[in-house]
């Protein structure tokens, strides 16, 4: 299937899978005061912290399975994102991510072509769970492949465009591929990126490598197709991402990404519940009744 599209304003620049919930929306209502302080001007409290979408280490089969079966907000968000991704993938994402661990399809999650879409779906769904519980994020940033998650959740990319871009990123040839192969994959990626619509962010969007504010407005670094390609080819550094956020004034940051150990041990739910304490300690108005009401027993 072609991954080009001609409409919209464009980027500037030279076991059985869990059932789908068709038509369900994962868009969580945003608090009325979401705008908060001016972008890049943290003012203490929850305003001086950001969510950092992390992307390091291999993904494991079953990523998010426990969360999908426990939290309704997670499954609703995951379904919506997977539906957008499936338009561009050779197999449904659920068939890979939720495949039996010993099944043939389970190993595909270690392939970047599926790993990056799987990471995107996981991060968006986990962020929506936190929002449901009362997390009041004012800024987001993405480390490596997590940058597209951050751009989507900040409102800079629509879901359809983010999905196409994630799939195109996963299909980039590795750095050690022959030059001709690498150049061809980069050309395809740039073609997709240039067709993406760029919106003004709803949340402050920060470049995790430089600390720059990103977006189409005055004072923000313009998001070009070439920018996304440079970021895709950059060597990721979690420490550098943390330093960039601190330099931008965001000193308390919440990592949003899979924990391979909790996935392997079947303790994803415990790991996510533990994050509640950190969010509460950092000043987010956690709604404990929502936490308990939102959860459903695992299947």
């Amino acid at each position: 299937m072609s991954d080009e599209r001609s409409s919209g304003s464009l980027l500037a620049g030279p076991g059985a899978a869990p059932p789908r919930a068709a038509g369900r929306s994962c868009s969580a209502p945003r608090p009325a005061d979401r705008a908060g302080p001016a972008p890049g001007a943290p003012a203490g409290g929850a305003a001086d912290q950001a969510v950092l979408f992390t992307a390091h280490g291999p993904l494991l089969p079953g990523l998010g399975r426990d969360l999908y079966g426990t939290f309704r907000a997670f499954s609703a968000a995951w379904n919506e994102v997977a539906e957008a991704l499936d338009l561009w993938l050779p197999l449904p994402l659920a068939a890979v991510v939720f495949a039996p661990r010993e099944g043939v399809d389970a190993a595909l999650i270690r392939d970047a072509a599926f790993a990056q879409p799987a990471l995107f779906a996981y991060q968006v769904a986990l962020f929506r769970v936190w929002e449901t519980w009362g997390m009041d994020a004012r800024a987001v940033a993405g480390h490596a492949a997590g940058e597209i998650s951050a751009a989507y959740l900040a409102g800079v990319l629509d879901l359809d465009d983010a999905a196409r871009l994630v799939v195109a990123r996963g299909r980039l040839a590795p750095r050690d591929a022959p030059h001709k192969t690498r150049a061809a994959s980069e050309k395809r990626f740039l073609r997709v990126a240039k067709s993406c619509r760029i919106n003004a962010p709803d949340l402050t969007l920060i470049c995790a490598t430089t600390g720059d504010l990103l977006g189409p407005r005055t004072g923000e670094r313009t998001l070009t197709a070439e920018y996304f390609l440079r970021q895709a080819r950059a060597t990721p550094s979690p420490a550098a991402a943390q330093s960039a956020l601190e330099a931008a004034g965001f000193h308390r940051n919440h990592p949003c990404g899979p924990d391979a150990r909790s996935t392997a041990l079947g303790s994803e739910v415990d790991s996510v519940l533990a994050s509640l304490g950190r969010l509460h300690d950092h000043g987010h108005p956690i709604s404990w009744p929502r936490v308990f009401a939102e959860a459903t027993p695992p299947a």
Side-chain angles (χ1 to χ4, degrees):
M1 181 177 293
S2 170
D3 50 9
E4 295 181 61
R5 191 175 65 182
S6 59
S7 62
S9 57
L10 309 182
L11 276 167
R20 287 291 177 82
R24 295 176 68 182
S25 172
C26 71
S27 300
R30 299 193 182 279
D33 63 346
R34 170 67 75 196
D48 71 340
Q49 53 194 289
V51 174
L52 176 61
F53 295 92
T54 56
H56 51 82
L59 302 186
L60 297 180
L63 175 69
R65 184 196 300 274
D66 292 347
L67 303 181
Y68 188 102
T70 303
F71 302 114
R72 290 189 293 270
F74 188 97
S75 59
W78 199 97
N79 285 338
E80 186 176 46
V81 173
E83 184 176 0
L85 290 166
D86 285 351
L87 295 174
W88 313 106
L89 293 172
L91 288 175
L93 185 64
V96 174
V97 175
F98 299 134
R101 293 182 188 276
E102 298 77 20
V104 175
D105 292 339
L108 291 174
I109 199 171
R110 295 183 174 88
D111 184 330
F114 286 101
Q116 296 197 20
L119 178 69
F120 177 63
Y122 179 95
Q123 290 178 328
V124 170
L126 179 55
F127 185 88
R128 294 305 190 203
V129 170
W130 285 348
E131 280 193 320
T132 300
W133 291 346
M135 181 188 71
D136 183 19
R138 303 300 178 90
V140 291
H143 164 248
E147 186 158 44
I148 299 177
S149 301
Y152 165 60
L153 289 163
V156 169
L157 291 174
D158 297 331
L159 178 56
D160 290 344
D161 284 341
R164 291 187 306 117
L165 195 58
V166 166
V167 172
R169 194 183 197 279
R171 292 174 178 168
L172 282 170
R175 294 186 184 90
D176 58 356
H179 174 74
K180 186 175 181 179
T181 302
R182 192 171 66 249
S185 72
E186 291 178 352
K187 185 177 180 179
R188 289 192 298 270
F189 177 85
L190 288 170
R191 191 162 58 240
V192 173
K194 287 178 179 179
S195 70
C196 291
R197 181 191 303 273
I198 295 297
N199 308 305
D202 299 320
L203 305 177
T204 300
L205 178 61
I206 305 167
C207 175
T209 56
T210 66
D212 293 339
L213 302 183
L214 302 173
R217 299 179 296 206
T218 302
E220 296 172 337
R221 181 175 178 178
T222 302
L223 283 164
T224 65
E226 288 74 19
Y227 169 85
F228 279 115
L229 180 59
R230 283 196 304 273
Q231 294 297 93
R233 289 308 194 194
T235 301
S237 168
Q242 186 69 30
S243 297
L245 288 175
E246 291 177 358
F250 296 91
H251 302 284
R252 295 180 294 172
N253 303 303
H254 304 283
C256 183
D259 177 352
R261 183 171 181 273
S262 65
T263 300
L265 296 176
S267 58
E268 287 181 329
V269 173
D270 292 342
S271 179
V272 169
L273 289 175
S275 70
L276 275 170
R278 294 191 296 273
L279 292 170
H280 179 267
D281 290 345
H282 287 178
H284 291 276
I286 300 301
S287 171
W288 297 105
R290 284 187 187 177
V291 172
F292 294 114
E294 208 279 328
T296 57

